[in-house]
Amino acid sequence: MRFSFTPEQDEFRTSLRRALEARSPTKEVRRLMATEQGFDREGWKKLNQEMGLTAVHIPEAYGGAGFGCGELGIVLEEMGRSLLCAPFFSTAVLAATAILNAGTEEQKKALLPKIASGDVTATFAFSEDSGLNDAASVATTAIASGGSYKLDGTKSFVLDGHTADLIVVLARKPGSKGEEGLSFFTVDGTAAGLERRLLKTMDETRKLARLTFKGVEAKLLGAEGKAAAPFAKTLQQVIVCLANEMVGGAERLREDALAYVQMRMQFGRALASFQTMKHKAADMLVDVELAKSAAYYAAAALDESDPEVPMLASLAKASASEAYLQTAIHAVQMHGGIGFTWDNDTHLWFKRAKSSEILFGDANQHRETMMQNWGAGT
Amino acid sequence: MSDIMESDLTEEQARADVRAWLKANWDPELSLLEWRNKLVESGWGAPHYPKEWHGRGLPVKFNTPIDDEFAKVGAITVARAGIRTLAAATILDHGTDFHKQKFLRRILTGEDTWCQLFSEPGSGSDMAGAVTRADKKGNKWVINGQKVWTTSAHKAHWGLLLARANWDAVKHKGLAYFVLDMKQPGVQVHPLRQMNGHASFNQVFFTDAEVEPEMMICDVGDGWTVATTTLMHERRGADGLRTWAQASNRKGRIYEEEKAEIATTMEPYKWYPQRAGRVDLVMKRAKETGKIADPVVRQEIAKLLIMSKSAEWTARRARAAQNQGKPQGPEGSLGKLASSHVARQAARVHTYITGADALLSGADSPMEGVIAEILVSVPATSIAGGTDEIQRNIISERVLKMPKEPSVDTTKPFKDVPRNITAKA
Ligand SMILES: Cc1cc2nc3c(=O)[nH]c(=O)nc-3n(C[C@H](O)[C@H](O)[C@H](O)COP(=O)(O)OP(=O)(O)OC[C@H]3O[C@@H](n4cnc5c(N)ncnc54)[C@H](O)[C@@H]3O)c2cc1C
């Protein structure tokens, strides 16, 4: 399964690609990215429910379709390809994964069906103003009060944090340090004391928000003080998902740049007939295919609970970071002047490449993580 | 190979079958030849070959599990390394029953060694520009001209020869493909010293060398098509999944004979693992030298491991698609180029890890010279079997369907095409 897709998976990809081509042409991407919400609630709900997207990897016991990361990876790759503007990554990948890893049986039964059905959008807030992704840098505090908790602090770089109905928050017991004292909480998006501000982002297709918590009412998710392990696991799954999304975008950029040089004439011949273009195109193909192999392999490893997942996840993210950005740089160059314009679509993916390169850790960070975990499974 | 038989056998059954066969037959006190003849007769030596030609007609995907069963009991395989496998693949695709009868068995047993007589002083990347002549005189083909960079020619019994038999035809249509007997007076072999000090490739001179007419594969004019098959198998084998036989320390007559084979017939290939970069040594060396603690070196090692792992997985994707009967996707054409990237990055990393000791060579260099040999052998990877530039041309034209370069050489009779001046042309 690590090296090929089944006929059913191929078929699923084809119908999803067709649906996304129809619903998310770049004209629609441009319209939505310019809105504050960043997506169209009704349109997304309809597409989501038709294709069962947020249900894909949620187990059937919680109202999902019960597929694995292989299928989730396909959804993400196709979304990366079409730059769909929708709170899918935040809801299905970030929040649902955190809930699956941390929640009690009862909590999963309460929270996940609404996510699977597309009635609730959600996100997971862990990074703070430093932008770091590690447990130790969490400073937001949670104080027990009565049967619930009160959160104080700031979360930043929260994907779709300004629109999510449900927010999973990572916070700590006051006075605790490092990986100790961390817990997950759930917060209602409209809770009193929660201030949500949309951040202005370089990549407008991916909305980020800064959330300020002032005594915000929260419910504990999972075991108190035991969030470090499920958080680490969640992050690994998240970066594998992101890597799969990224290779979808990279492939689209590669194909578009190729189509452009095939069509554009200079010196009486197609640009594609110049060897420097041909060699660049061949190199882009190598970069993208290798990154795809790493992303697919990591997704399959997740499905098989391979002990090497911590290494493989970082390998896939580092690989995708380099390949996507390099492809984007080549793609702009191959377009010439028009590639630098707002009207040409290349910059939409260029910016997604840049934002994805950094999101949840850049290539340097993940190469280091990979090295720390090399051979851990053997 | 076109004549693979469909089989309903599952992998588990194939494993069980070969395990039972090995249990009954494997004996390290046999001679190498006796053992390989048994393999050939049973079909377990090349299970993906057709049943009538020493195989079992099994899908290629079973080769890995079957090899695995061999490795478990320490059983030796048929002869596989070197040009002989390309010869076998080409003969299976294009040869007649006469060729299959004459050559396949002795290829598998290792009795015959082969070489590939394609490149010439005037034509390397432009392989179809060969000017070695094949002239029909009486009942024989007579060969005159020169080949170069011919690996293992000094060991070979047979050569796969590309020569020009028709000078009035256009470039790609005037070539013929022969199996040439290397052990004849008209063939002279002169070893060439390489930048890594080894002399595994050669100059080969033909002065009225002779070839029987039945030793031509296909017809005059088809030489290019047949050569393309050979090259395709060569490049597919360059995807990083290839391994080289290593002498075993086990006790037994057959292991002694294998050791001798590796030291003699296979001698030209002894540096080949090094030219791929020896990624397998990197972590061990980084730990031994303490360089594993250097954050810059760690980044470079990680880049290498990412590249080599994902190149391996890409090759496996290509193989999986092939096994599923899907049309070949782009992933199948990238292996050779990817392995050049891996080799180059590996040499860079070995240098960082080795530090000042990388200045040394031979016995003074780490691992008895293995590290030094990596550094000076890696450049072969991006040249041999088609350069990186040619791979990029192939990928862009065949896979990405980009236009060919404007051509000045493919439409007129070859005799009128401008070319390098060579001594014997
Ligand atoms: C270790 C080793 C073993 C070998 N073994 C064998 C063997 O067993 N049998 C055999 O027949 N040959 C063998 N070769 C030869 C090998 O196939 C050729 O060296 C290779 O194909 C390049 O040809 P060339 O040396 O003539 O270089 P050239 O073709 O002259 O190339 C010189 C440079 O020009 C570039 N170039 C050429 N054409 C183009 C183009 N169209 N566009 C852009 N750049 C171009 C090349 O990429 C290269 O960088 C071996 C070579 C090596 C290094």
Side-chain angles (χ1 to χ4, degrees):
Chain A
M1 283 314 302
R2 295 189 181 194
F3 306 113
S4 63
F5 293 103
T6 62
E8 293 74 29
Q9 288 174 323
D10 285 337
E11 215 166 281
F12 175 55
R13 181 192 295 282
T14 308
S15 60
L16 181 57
R17 183 172 297 186
R18 220 176 285 136
L20 290 173
E21 274 164 7
R23 309 285 182 88
S24 180
T26 49
K27 195 164 161 245
E28 185 66 1
V29 172
R30 285 168 180 273
R31 182 180 76 80
L32 292 172
M33 75 185 199
T35 64
E36 158 138 7
Q37 290 245 318
F39 72 109
D40 170 1
R41 220 169 237 277
E42 284 317 302
W44 163 235
K45 196 167 173 182
K46 197 160 158 262
L47 175 67
N48 186 20
Q49 289 173 343
E50 266 167 38
M51 306 288 308
L53 298 175
T54 45
V56 162
H57 75 307
I58 294 178
E60 282 165 318
Y62 314 122
F67 292 111
C69 291
E71 286 78 9
L72 181 60
I74 292 174
V75 175
L76 286 157
E77 193 180 352
E78 293 307 314
M79 288 186 176
R81 181 182 177 86
S82 67
L83 279 185
L84 177 78
C85 290
F88 180 81
F89 203 96
S90 49
T91 303
V93 178
L94 289 174
T97 306
I99 294 166
L100 277 166
N101 288 332
T104 63
E105 198 52 35
E106 206 179 319
Q107 288 165 335
K108 290 188 228 179
K109 286 213 162 94
L111 297 171
L112 293 171
K114 284 185 247 168
I115 288 180
S117 67
D119 291 325
V120 162
T121 70
T123 190
F124 176 27
F126 50 97
S127 290
E128 305 194 350
D129 284 334
S130 69
L132 296 174
N133 305 307
D134 61 323
S137 50
V138 169
T140 300
T141 57
I143 301 171
S145 95
S148 68
Y149 291 78
K150 298 267 185 232
L151 300 187
D152 283 281
T154 306
K155 292 287 170 186
S156 196
F157 307 100
V158 183
L159 230 70
D160 301 314
H162 63 311
T163 55
D165 301 326
L166 174 78
I167 305 168
V168 178
V169 183
L170 189 60
R172 64 168 66 249
K173 193 174 174 179
S176 69
K177 272 204 172 57
E179 305 210 326
E180 301 294 310
L182 287 168
S183 310
F184 289 102
F185 298 90
T186 52
V187 170
D188 192 291
T190 56
L194 171 61
E195 194 188 297
R196 317 202 268 181
R197 181 167 79 80
L198 175 67
L199 295 167
K200 195 161 168 48
T201 44
M202 174 254 324
D203 168 14
E204 291 181 280
T205 63
R206 182 122 65 200
K207 301 293 184 198
L208 299 177
R210 186 169 186 273
L211 312 182
T212 315
F213 297 83
K214 288 190 185 128
V216 173
E217 170 96 15
K219 284 193 200 120
L220 183 67
L221 176 70
E224 183 165 12
K226 299 260 187 297
F231 174 56
K233 187 172 169 200
T234 303
L235 264 191
Q236 286 156 14
Q237 290 163 319
V238 163
I239 58 175
V240 173
C241 288
L242 183 55
N244 278 275
E245 186 199 279
M246 292 166 78
V247 298
E251 183 160 273
R252 171 69 184 262
L253 270 176
R254 184 187 73 67
E255 289 173 5
D256 285 359
L258 176 62
Y260 182 77
V261 296
Q262 292 274 31
M263 175 202 77
R264 166 96 173 154
M265 308 275 288
Q266 291 288 287
F267 301 95
R269 52 197 261 211
L271 286 178
S273 71
F274 290 99
Q275 199 177 49
T276 181
M277 289 296 183
K278 291 162 72 174
H279 287 194
K280 203 170 273 181
D283 288 339
M284 289 161 82
L285 184 68
V286 173
D287 287 348
V288 174
E289 289 299 321
L290 263 57
K292 277 166 69 178
S293 299
Y296 297 167
Y297 191 86
L302 277 177
D303 280 335
E304 292 166 26
S305 306
D306 187 323
E308 291 208 300
V309 159
M311 181 277 280
L312 293 168
S314 283
L315 189 160
K317 175 61 168 62
S319 174
S321 292
E322 299 278 10
Y324 199 178
L325 188 70
Q326 184 59 69
T327 307
I329 290 168
H330 283 328
V332 171
Q333 185 69 19
M334 287 162 81
H335 279 83
I338 204 167
F340 195 65
T341 64
W342 189 268
D343 274 355
N344 182 272
D345 289 333
T346 310
H347 74 101
L348 302 177
W349 279 273
F350 182 99
K351 290 169 183 171
R352 179 59 81 82
K354 233 332 145 204
S355 79
S356 309
E357 180 198 2
I358 303 158
L359 196 64
F360 312 136
D362 66 10
N364 284 332
Q365 183 190 324
H366 283 294
R367 281 191 288 259
E368 178 52 38
T369 308
M370 174 192 136
M371 289 297 286
Q372 285 168 18
N373 290 289
W374 191 263
T378 52
Chain B
M1 268 141 273
S2 49
D3 41 0
I4 280 175
M5 316 252 291
E6 277 305 313
S7 166
D8 295 330
L9 204 67
T10 66
E11 180 180 320
E12 268 323 301
Q13 282 167 315
R15 272 185 188 271
D17 288 356
V18 69
R19 216 178 297 142
W21 186 84
L22 284 168
K23 192 160 195 285
N25 291 280
W26 167 241
D27 173 6
E29 290 306 326
L30 290 173
S31 80
L32 193 54
L33 189 57
E34 282 165 350
W35 168 243
R36 283 187 175 148
N37 271 320
K38 270 178 182 281
L39 286 174
V40 168
E41 273 143 34
S42 66
W44 285 117
H48 59 299
Y49 282 17
K51 282 189 181 138
E52 58 277 32
W53 298 113
H54 322 307
R56 301 183 73 88
L58 295 182
V60 198
K61 67 177 168 192
F62 288 165
N63 284 5
T64 316
I66 289 170
D67 280 355
D68 193 41
E69 295 298 330
F70 271 69
K72 276 188 203 158
V73 297
I76 284 169
T77 65
V78 290
R80 288 178 180 171
I83 300 297
R84 58 163 63 83
T85 8
L86 308 182
T90 309
I91 289 168
L92 277 169
D93 278 359
H94 296 289
T96 59
D97 283 359
F98 164 75
H99 299 131
K100 292 176 189 170
Q101 183 74 45
K102 185 168 173 66
F103 298 120
L104 289 177
R105 170 185 276 267
R106 292 172 62 89
I107 286 176
L108 295 171
T109 59
E111 286 163 275
D112 285 345
T113 299
W114 291 65
C115 67
Q116 187 182 33
L117 300 158
F118 288 179
S119 303
E120 298 185 5
S123 57
S125 301
D126 183 16
M127 206 181 80
V131 295
T132 291
R133 318 182 54 98
D135 297 291
K136 191 79 180 275
K137 292 197 179 144
N139 191 29
K140 291 217 161 105
W141 286 98
V142 177
I143 312 296
N144 281 285
Q146 185 194 344
K147 295 285 171 178
V148 74
W149 325 130
T150 317
T151 302
S152 199
H154 54 310
K155 304 276 183 188
H157 303 94
W158 300 103
L160 301 169
L161 171 70
L162 189 65
R164 189 159 304 275
N166 179 350
W167 297 74
D168 296 317
V170 295
K171 183 168 167 176
H172 292 84
K173 294 286 178 203
L175 296 165
Y177 193 108
F178 300 96
V179 176
L180 175 107
D181 182 352
M182 293 292 287
K183 308 285 186 200
Q184 58 168 306
V187 176
Q188 280 199 311
V189 177
H190 298 298
L192 285 167
R193 190 160 184 221
Q194 297 146 195
M195 67 176 273
N196 61 3
H198 293 282
S200 53
F201 62 29
N202 302 270
Q203 287 174 291
V204 180
F205 297 94
F206 309 106
T207 318
D208 292 333
E210 294 185 344
V211 185
E212 309 289 334
E214 64 269 23
M215 298 294 245
M216 181 157 65
I217 310 261
C218 297
D219 290 317
V220 172
D222 295 334
W224 177 250
T225 310
V226 183
T228 311
T229 302
T230 313
L231 283 184
M232 190 188 75
H233 286 285
E234 180 171 20
R235 286 165 190 169
R236 194 175 285 167
D239 63 10
L241 298 183
R242 175 156 60 177
T243 52
W244 295 95
Q246 279 184 323
S248 156
N249 289 324
R250 295 178 196 233
K251 293 259 167 300
R253 171 180 175 194
I254 200 165
Y255 295 118
E256 294 303 320
E257 290 190 19
E258 191 197 33
K259 208 178 282 177
E261 180 184 65
I262 292 173
T264 57
T265 327
M266 299 314 295
E267 188 274 341
Y269 299 101
K270 69 177 182 213
W271 57 279
Y272 273 44
Q274 277 66 270
R275 84 179 201 183
R278 293 305 300 271
V279 179
D280 59 311
L281 297 178
V282 162
M283 285 303 263
K284 184 170 140 280
R285 294 264 311 142
K287 285 177 190 157
E288 279 168 9
T289 56
K291 284 286 165 58
I292 191 75
D294 179 329
V296 176
V297 177
R298 288 170 76 82
Q299 286 288 318
E300 293 301 320
I301 294 175
K303 286 181 198 168
L304 169 65
L305 295 174
I306 291 171
M307 224 187 264
S308 90
K309 278 287 172 199
S310 45
E312 180 195 324
W313 297 331
T314 304
R316 291 196 191 281
R317 276 171 60 209
R319 210 160 279 186
Q322 197 185 344
N323 290 340
Q324 284 179 319
K326 291 187 185 173
Q328 169 153 337
E331 69 278 358
S333 322
L334 311 177
K336 181 152 194 316
L337 194 48
S339 62
S340 289
H341 295 329
V342 170
R344 264 190 302 271
Q345 176 69 6
R348 187 206 306 265
V349 166
H350 277 299
T351 309
Y352 292 154
I353 291 174
T354 307
D357 281 350
L359 294 164
L360 307 176
S361 175
D364 285 327
S365 139
M367 300 186 66
E368 306 276 310
V370 166
I371 298 301
E373 190 162 284
I374 295 169
L375 306 185
V376 295
S377 298
V378 154
T381 304
S382 46
I383 300 171
T387 66
D388 281 7
E389 288 74 22
I390 295 304
Q391 294 309 307
R392 290 187 176 98
N393 283 354
I394 293 173
I395 292 169
S396 56
E397 289 169 13
R398 310 238 177 102
V399 182
L400 302 175
K401 313 282 182 222
M402 298 170 89
K404 279 188 171 302
E405 297 289 302
S407 120
V408 295
D409 61 341
T410 52
T411 49
K412 47 187 139 186
F414 185 74
K415 61 181 188 316
D416 302 329
V417 170
R419 54 179 185 268
N420 291 302
I421 296 154
T422 51
K424 297 218 167 188

